Structure formats: C-alpha cells, structure tokens
Amino acid sequence: MMPSCLLKLTRVVLSHKPWALFIVIFVFVSFAYVKLYSGIWEDPKSRGPLYSLSAEISCAHYVPSPLDIAGEPSPSTGNVFFVETSEQTTPSYLFSCSVESAARTHPMSRVVVLMKGLAKGNTSLPKHWAFSLLSCFPNVEIRPLDLTELFSGTPLAQWYLHPQRHWEPHFLHVLSDACRIVLMWKFGGIYLDTDFIVLKNLQNLTNALGIQDDDVLNGAFLSFKPKHEFMELCMQDFVENYNGWVWGHQGPELVTRVFKKWCSLQTIKSMSCKGVSALAPEAVYPIPWQDWKKLFEAVSALELHKLLKNTYAVHIWNKLSHGTKLEIPSQALLAQLYSQFCPATYAKMKQD
C-alpha cells in the first residue's frame, strides 16, 4: 500500500507544483512516527518474559567463541539457583563470573538468579553491564526474590515475619541461609553462593553438600531432590535452634548439626549416609578459607591442573577476599580461573 501511494505522489512532484514535495515528506515522516509509537506502546507480554535481559553488550564481542548451549533448557534437569538477599542491583565481576561459569557448564539447565532488589512488575532489568553480558546466555533467568512467597508453607514463614529479626547483626547472611534450604526443599536442584566459579557440571552430585574443613560442612553449595527429608530437617533445625546473633549458626553450623544427627556421627568425614553425601573438601572447597590469599598468588598451569583435578567448583570466600586487588591479566590462580571459566566476564575486566 505505501509503495504505490509514494509512487503516485512522486509523479505529482515531477508533473505539478514544487509544494507537492512537502506532502511526500510529510506522509513518510507520519508513517515512520506511527510505526515507532506502536512499537513503544505494544503489549509488554508480546515482547518477552518479565525481566527480559538487556542486550547493550555485543555477544559476539564479549563471547568470541560459540557458546556450548543448544536449544532450550531441559525440564528433566534441576535448576541452578543463585540468591542475592540485599537490595543491590549492581553485580560485581565475581557475581557475573559465578553465573556465567554455571551457565556454560550447565547448558541444559536453567540458571535462575533471584534478587531481592528487583521490584515485581517491571519489564526490564536495571542498566548494568553484567545484566547485558548475561543476556548472551539463553539459559540464564534473572527474577525478583519474593521472600514472603518463598517462605510460605514452610516452618520459616513465621520466622521471617518476626519484625525483630531484621535488626540482627548478620541478618542478610541468615536470610541467605534460609533461602537456600527452602529453595532446595521446595524445588530441588543446585544452590550456589555468588562467589563460586564453576568448573564442571554439578548435576551428577545428587543429595550432596561439601566439607569445608575438619568437622565442618558448608551450605554454599547444595544439591538435593525436591522435598528431601534432609532439607526438611534443616528447616526444622533453623527454627527450633535459631540464633541470629552468632555468625554461622544458621549456616555451616546448621548443616553440620543436621548431618551429624542424620548419620549419628560425632565427627564429619567424607562419606555417603542414608542417601546424602558429604563431599571431600577438594570437590567444591579446594582452597580452605584460612588460605584464601592463595587465590591471588601466581601458579603454573601444571600446579593449577593438579590442584583442581578432583574439583567441580571453587569457592572464592568473598567475605574475606573482596578487598584484595586482582591483577588482570596475571598468573594469579583467581585470574586464571576467570580467564578459563568465565571468559566473557574476563574480557570485560580486561577492558575496564
């Protein structure tokens, strides 16, 4: 329709008065305006899901090699969950690397990032390079974290609604401890803290958690089937033995207490008991928290291979390491992990 109209108007311009040129320009501009206006105000549902990821970063530039991701995530594999319980919506390099490395190693799983700082009802994420970068990964989903909804139907529902809890000194960390055990109980899958770098697919580690060091388990990595009795006992212990004033009481100490009861143990060791596995430290905590500075020390490729031979993921102990400057590029252990397992984030780090 438009081409024939423009053709007729062009003939008018050529055979009649010069002011007819104005009509041609006016019609063209009007048509363009209507198309632009209708594009802006179209139904948000037709443009994609809630919290669609912005794409300001060129995937071809920041992800130079083809992604090892094909097709849609498989519903038969569990989700990989990350949780941000603070209000912050400006992810760090480590946060981005955690999600990217999980997305690359779990191409058939949904990598779900739940963030408390995202308000329900918006149609797009805040403008930030990390959100744009993660849009390159079709299996990454970033969603708002609705805590009341998450805890509903669990023993933690009443605990969360208690107003005094929010004034406790470690509340954000305790809240994260609560989210992970409820996610595992309700939905199952894999939970990871946002200071992990994932090296291998974790899906074959079922009903498992890792030994942090002598006699202590850690819940920074969890992998469980939904409605598992172990996670139900963790929720019960969370409420019955609650103490938000002691660091770790609701986190590492909680999963350690429950595992010891589960297996009737006095001392934690690498083992499988009644269907739940305590993984050896090298599986997900190859660098003990006491030795976190090793992450910033240079290592050879051979040393790195030897260190991580039996490792699925590396916990970076961000609470201790976040203030330490990392030279990029360098032979530092952490720099090499960034380079190999989250190359898109690493490219952004080098650029900055």
Side-chain angles (χ1 to χ4, degrees):
M1 177 180 175
M2 279 303 300
S4 61
C5 292
L6 288 173
L7 184 61
K8 290 178 182 178
L9 286 170
T10 303
R11 287 172 181 164
V12 170
V13 172
L14 294 174
S15 59
H16 293 85
K17 299 177 182 179
W19 56 262
L21 179 62
F22 172 77
I23 297 175
V24 175
I25 296 171
F26 177 78
V27 170
F28 179 78
V29 170
S30 298
F31 176 74
Y33 176 79
V34 168
K35 291 296 291 180
L36 176 64
Y37 187 87
S38 63
I40 292 173
W41 293 102
E42 67 182 347
D43 183 358
K45 292 180 181 177
S46 68
R47 292 186 310 214
L50 198 66
Y51 279 103
S52 57
L53 296 167
S54 59
E56 295 173 2
I57 282 180
S58 167
C59 295
H61 180 70
Y62 285 97
V63 190
S65 59
L67 294 177
D68 185 25
I69 294 175
E72 289 293 313
S74 169
S76 62
T77 59
N79 292 335
V80 179
F81 290 101
F82 292 93
V83 174
E84 177 55 66
T85 53
S86 76
E87 298 291 335
Q88 76 93 9
T89 55
T90 54
S92 65
Y93 293 120
L94 182 53
F95 185 113
S96 175
C97 183
S98 295
V99 178
E100 179 188 342
S101 63
R104 288 181 180 275
T105 51
H106 297 78
M108 299 310 294
S109 301
R110 286 185 174 85
V111 178
V112 181
V113 184
L114 300 169
M115 302 185 74
K116 187 172 179 286
L118 299 179
K120 292 182 69 176
N122 285 3
T123 57
S124 61
L125 287 160
K127 290 187 181 298
H128 190 272
W129 66 265
F131 296 135
S132 298
L133 185 151
L134 294 172
S135 70
C136 298
F137 298 87
N139 57 335
V140 171
E141 299 179 12
I142 300 181
R143 305 177 187 172
L145 173 61
D146 186 332
L147 290 163
T148 303
E149 181 182 341
L150 176 63
F151 295 140
S152 67
T154 76
L156 280 74
Q158 286 299 113
W159 163 83
Y160 178 66
L161 295 174
H162 199 294
Q164 291 182 347
R165 303 289 184 225
H166 300 236
W167 296 101
E168 292 170 351
H170 310 301
F171 181 69
L172 284 181
H173 298 282
V174 170
L175 194 56
S176 177
D177 294 330
C179 288
R180 67 192 68 183
I181 60 177
V182 171
L183 282 168
M184 290 296 94
W185 184 76
K186 277 193 168 184
F187 307 109
I190 293 165
Y191 167 83
L192 291 166
D193 275 1
T194 54
D195 58 349
F196 262 108
I197 298 179
V198 187
L199 282 52
K200 301 172 187 173
N201 191 289
L202 297 158
Q203 291 289 2
N204 65 328
L205 302 178
T206 306
N207 301 331
L209 64 172
I211 297 175
Q212 170 184 295
D213 50 31
D214 293 340
D215 206 36
V216 179
L217 291 165
N218 195 313
F221 156 79
L222 295 170
S223 178
F224 279 87
K225 296 289 186 183
K227 304 297 189 293
H228 197 282
E229 185 185 353
F230 186 87
M231 283 294 111
E232 186 174 2
L233 292 174
C234 286
M235 291 191 299
Q236 291 173 6
D237 187 285
F238 188 98
V239 175
E240 292 170 4
N241 297 307
Y242 185 77
N243 187 339
W245 294 85
V246 176
W247 173 260
H249 186 81
Q250 303 303 118
E253 291 183 21
L254 182 148
V255 291
T256 301
R257 286 194 303 271
V258 174
F259 189 79
K260 284 182 175 180
K261 290 178 185 176
W262 180 264
C263 298
S264 301
L265 290 174
Q266 294 297 318
T267 304
I268 296 289
K269 56 184 177 181
S270 177
M271 63 181 295
S272 181
C273 173
K274 292 163 63 177
V276 177
S277 297
L279 305 175
E282 59 263 27
V284 287
Y285 306 109
I287 309 294
W289 67 267
Q290 300 93 330
D291 298 333
W292 66 267
K293 291 183 180 179
K294 285 185 177 179
L295 291 160
F296 298 87
E297 296 174 2
V299 296
S300 68
L302 186 63
E303 289 175 307
L304 187 64
H305 175 73
K306 184 179 178 181
L307 177 68
L308 304 178
K309 186 171 67 171
N310 298 314
T311 298
Y312 287 82
V314 180
H315 195 231
I316 306 302
W317 307 109
N318 188 54
K319 182 175 173 59
L320 299 168
S321 66
H322 71 275
T324 306
K325 182 175 175 57
L326 177 64
E327 293 294 333
I328 296 290
S330 73
Q331 289 300 110
L333 193 160
L334 183 54
Q336 293 192 59
L337 292 176
Y338 274 108
S339 175
Q340 292 182 42
F341 300 103
C342 55
T345 301
Y346 186 69
K348 183 68 169 68
M349 293 171 75
K350 288 196 294 184
Q351 180 198 38
D352 293 347

